[in-house]
Amino acid sequence: MKPCRPSGPEGTAGWILHFGVEDIDGAVGAAKSLGGTVVSGPAEVAGVGRVALLKDPADVTFALVQFV
């Protein structure tokens, strides 16, 4: 897991859970079909792989990572 600092006046610290997946495009599609929304990505991250940030139907943020 990786710490996250949301922008805004409070600047409260938080955490984002990352799930490793073998097929990020398929996993993003599955999340969307189950009511999730894509916040950003999938995008290439040098030395890591492809990463997407999503929200589930309860507005909980999580990330998917397809490692290189």
Side-chain angles (χ1 to χ4, degrees):
M1 294 190 295
K2 174 179 172 180
C4 166
R5 293 195 186 271
S7 60
E10 288 114 29
T12 321
W15 293 90
I16 297 177
L17 180 61
H18 290 67
F19 294 97
V21 298
E22 291 186 22
D23 173 13
I24 197 162
D25 294 316
V28 167
K32 287 170 59 177
S33 75
L34 294 168
T37 57
V38 177
V39 176
S40 68
E44 296 288 332
V45 177
V48 176
R50 296 179 70 210
V51 178
L53 190 64
L54 299 96
K55 286 192 177 198
D56 72 9
D59 207 36
V60 175
T61 302
F62 65 97
L64 300 176
V65 183
Q66 180 178 335
F67 295 101
V68 289

